[in-house]
Every structure is written in C-alpha cells, then in structure tokens.
C-alpha cells in the first residue's frame, strides 16, 4: 500500500475549514444558512460559501428545496450517531397515561450522547420543529434541561436568537436560570419560542444520576403558568416511573 502524499501549503487549513462547516451544520440542524454558519465559525463569507459548495458537490451536505439553508447529505449521515432506540412499551404507557390526563401535548426526549432527540411525540399535539429544539435550546424547556447538565452550556449554544420579547438572550441571565434548573430538575418556557405557547419539562435520571431523558408538556403559555404546581407534581411522579424503564 502506497502512503498518501503529505498535505502541504493551504491544504490542512482547507480541510479544517470543511470539517468545521460540516460539524456546524450537524450541530445547528437542518435549515442553517450560510450566513449563520459564517457567523458561528467567524469564517469569511467567501470561504464559507466555497466550503459549502464543495461539501454539497461531494454529497456531504444538501441544499434544502427552498434554497434557504443546508442539511446533512447522504455521505455525512453514514458518519452520524445512530438514533436512540424507541422507548419500551412500559415507558410509552407511562407517557400515554400523562396524555390521558391533559388536553395538551406530552412528549418524551432522549439526551443520549449529549443530544436532544424526541423519542415519543404526542400524535394529537405535534411538537415544535425538532430542528428548532436542537438549534436553540436556550428557548425551550427540554433544551434548558440539557444545558443545565453541561459543564459549560455555552458550548452547545451557538446562537442565542430572540424569538419573542420573552426569549432570554443575555448569557448571565440564562446562567442564573440554568443553575436553578440544575438544582430542581425542572425547566420552564413561557412564550420564549412562540409568544402564545409554553412548556414545562422535568428531567429523568438513571440510578447513577446521569441525565437520560426529559418529560415535557406543552400548551398555551397562560394555561401552563396557571397550572404550574399541579403540572410539576404530575410530571415528577411520572418521571419517577420512567426512571427504571429508561436506564
């Protein structure tokens, strides 16, 4: 076997740039734009576009049909981590029991490998776009549960975008809220992603204390706020039932 020729000149930097762009698209989720990638990586726009065109040409990325953003392509998906398995029947039954008691959406998310992935969504009340949950965790209850469990939550937040006047966009303010989430295992979002919607999430941890999942209810922001105490009690009780089922 012949050893490949060593990289020289500008090649190492070009490889690093291409990998950085690929990683940013994977982290940000489908729909991320060239402008957002350039800003997140502090990469010149011309370099960003050149890397994107290269990765699209090699099928590591694809342009979305509306031409407004990018997503992982066929070849990149071969490198990705497998999706978390569907929860067992007993765990799904626990989640369904919550749904039967509420008229709002109830969803279960996995935090395996430090990623937020919905694994049991309410068929009668579809959740927000999952790509938004992954890209903007600072504006969602499930996202805050994940961020509060990180040594440095800033490593997972690339864009503290404001969606409404209630969205937390100040790092110091979010830091204070996440410390409380870490202490209680409860996270709120009232009108931060959509002004008329809110959600409450509670953490699910295994016997070793590792964060494995989040149970959430979403509905009208005012309704969530008015029933705060009852919702917390209900979700915490069911989270305890989920604990041995999701370990």
């Amino acid at each position: 076997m012949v050893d490949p020729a060593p990289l020289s000149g500008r090649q190492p930097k070009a490889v690093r740039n291409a990998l950085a762009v690929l990683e940013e698209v994977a982290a940000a989720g489908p729909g991320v734009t060239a402008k957002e990638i350039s800003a997140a990586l502090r990469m010149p726009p011309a370099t960003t576009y050149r890397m994107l065109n290269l990765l699209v040409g090699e099928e590591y990325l694809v342009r979305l049909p509306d031409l407004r953003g990018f997503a992982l392509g066929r070849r990149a998906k071969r490198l990705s981590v497998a999706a978390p398995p569907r929860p067992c029947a007993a765990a799904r039954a626990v989640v369904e029991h919550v749904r039967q008691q509420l008229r709002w959406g109830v969803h279960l998310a996995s935090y395996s490998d430090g990623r937020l992935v919905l694994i049991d969504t309410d068929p009668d009340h579809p959740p927000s776009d999952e790509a938004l949950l992954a890209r903007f965790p600072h504006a969602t209850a499930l996202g805050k549960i994940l961020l509060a469990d990180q040594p440095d939550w800033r490593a997972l937040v690339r864009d503290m975008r404001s969606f409404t006047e209630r969205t937390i966009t100040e790092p110091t303010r979010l830091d204070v809220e996440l410390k409380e989430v870490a202490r209680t295992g409860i996270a709120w979002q009232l009108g931060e992603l959509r002004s008329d919607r809110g959600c409450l999430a509670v953490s699910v941890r295994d016997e070793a204390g590792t964060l494995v999942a989040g149970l959430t209810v979403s509905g009208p922001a005012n309704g969530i706020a008015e029933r705060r105490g009852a919702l917390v009690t209900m979700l915490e009780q069911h989270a305890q039932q989920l604990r041995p089922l999701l370990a």
Side-chain angles (χ1 to χ4, degrees):
M1 179 177 178
V2 179
D3 291 334
L7 296 176
S8 60
R10 299 181 178 178
Q11 288 177 313
K13 184 175 181 180
V15 171
R16 287 195 295 270
N17 285 340
L19 291 174
V21 169
L22 183 62
E23 183 179 6
E24 181 61 24
V25 174
V32 63
T33 66
K35 184 178 180 180
E36 291 171 337
I37 295 169
S38 177
L41 298 177
R42 297 182 180 179
M43 183 181 291
T47 301
T48 304
Y49 281 109
R50 187 165 61 250
M51 294 299 104
L52 287 169
N53 287 332
L54 171 65
L55 292 167
V56 168
E58 295 295 328
E59 299 184 351
Y60 284 101
L61 297 179
V62 294
R63 288 187 176 87
L64 297 183
D66 60 7
L67 301 180
R68 294 182 180 178
F70 297 84
L72 295 179
R74 176 184 62 84
R75 296 181 70 182
K77 290 179 180 178
R78 296 174 60 187
L79 307 175
S80 63
V81 179
R86 186 185 186 196
C88 66
R92 298 199 304 273
V94 172
V95 178
E96 184 59 32
H97 186 257
V98 184
R99 292 174 183 149
Q100 292 173 359
Q101 300 181 63
L102 297 172
R103 61 182 184 276
W104 300 324
V106 176
H107 316 290
L108 182 66
S110 166
Y111 293 121
S112 64
D113 302 313
R115 299 180 302 144
L116 193 168
V117 181
L118 295 175
I119 55 175
D120 188 355
T121 59
D122 194 324
D124 296 326
H125 303 278
S128 301
D129 185 347
E130 187 170 352
L132 285 179
L133 299 180
R135 289 178 62 190
F136 307 108
H138 70 290
T140 71
L142 283 173
K144 291 176 183 179
I145 292 287
L146 175 62
L147 295 181
D149 195 59
Q150 306 304 307
D152 181 6
W153 60 264
R154 293 167 181 78
L156 296 184
V157 178
R158 291 170 169 78
D159 182 0
M160 290 190 71
R161 183 176 305 183
S162 176
F163 292 92
T164 74
E165 62 181 11
R166 296 182 180 180
T167 308
I168 298 176
T169 58
E170 302 170 6
T172 53
R173 183 181 167 197
L174 182 60
D175 195 51
V176 171
E177 181 167 334
L178 293 181
K179 288 179 180 178
E180 182 65 11
V181 173
R183 185 184 70 83
T184 63
I186 304 167
W188 297 89
Q189 177 275 110
L190 298 174
E192 295 179 39
L193 190 60
R194 287 176 46 186
S195 59
D196 62 334
R197 306 293 291 178
C199 56
L200 157 69
V202 299
S203 61
V204 180
R205 296 181 179 273
D206 63 16
E207 295 298 330
T210 301
L211 179 66
V212 294
L215 181 62
T216 185
V217 56
S218 62
N222 290 338
I224 296 288
E226 291 171 357
R227 298 184 59 184
R228 178 180 304 220
L231 291 173
V232 167
T233 299
M234 181 184 300
L235 291 191
E236 286 186 327
Q237 290 175 347
H238 287 79
Q240 284 297 320
Q241 296 176 41
L242 288 169
R243 184 175 181 178
L245 303 174
L246 298 177

